[in-house]
Amino acid sequence: MVRSRDRSRRRPAYRRRPNEFYWLWIAATATYGVGDVVSTIAFLRYVPTIEEANPVVRVALESFGLSGLVALKIAVYLVMLWISVEGAREGDGLLYYFPPVLLTATGTYLTASNVRLLWLS
């Protein structure tokens, strides 16, 4: 029996290792989705004299309020999830792992930064 090396015939990584896929995205959701959003809201509420530093987030907040922030986060999250799923389907490890790892690292940094600024103010 000859096993095909064709990547298109292999099951995607999220089907072969579903727990890994879920935990990668749970970490991204916890840090980028929940941690950063909650710490940003707390920061904006309790330190109103300081404005949002990210110009894209600032425009979303000024235009649509907190729902703009959440909508922007969801849009970025869904694009990154799509890239990860497509990477898994194509057998591209970089595209599979990079999005949730990037969101987790970014979310951790932003949450820590917001909490630090809250603490110092």
Side-chain angles (χ1 to χ4, degrees):
M1 182 166 148
V2 176
R3 203 165 179 188
S4 173
R5 294 260 186 225
D6 184 12
R7 287 185 175 181
S8 65
R9 300 180 113 193
R10 289 182 54 184
R11 290 184 343 173
Y14 60 85
R15 296 230 190 253
R16 287 181 282 137
R17 298 182 304 273
N19 285 339
E20 174 188 79
F21 182 78
Y22 295 136
W23 282 110
L24 284 168
W25 285 99
I26 286 169
T29 302
T31 57
Y32 181 78
V34 178
D36 183 39
V37 170
V38 169
S39 64
T40 299
I41 291 170
F43 188 78
L44 293 173
R45 179 175 174 106
Y46 295 113
V47 189
T49 57
I50 299 177
E51 293 184 3
E52 172 63 45
N54 183 327
V56 175
V57 174
R58 188 178 329 121
V59 168
L61 282 166
E62 289 171 358
S63 301
F64 304 104
L66 294 177
S67 60
L69 170 68
V70 173
L72 180 62
K73 291 281 188 179
I74 289 171
V76 169
Y77 184 90
L78 290 176
V79 167
M80 297 297 264
L81 180 62
W82 176 77
I83 291 169
S84 181
V85 169
E86 286 300 311
R89 288 181 180 157
E90 296 295 320
D92 187 331
L94 178 64
L95 289 180
Y96 172 66
Y97 288 108
F98 185 70
V101 170
L102 176 65
L103 288 182
T104 301
T106 302
T108 300
Y109 172 77
L110 293 173
T111 302
S113 176
N114 286 344
V115 169
R116 181 181 153 275
L117 290 172
L118 267 169
W119 184 263
L120 294 175
S121 60

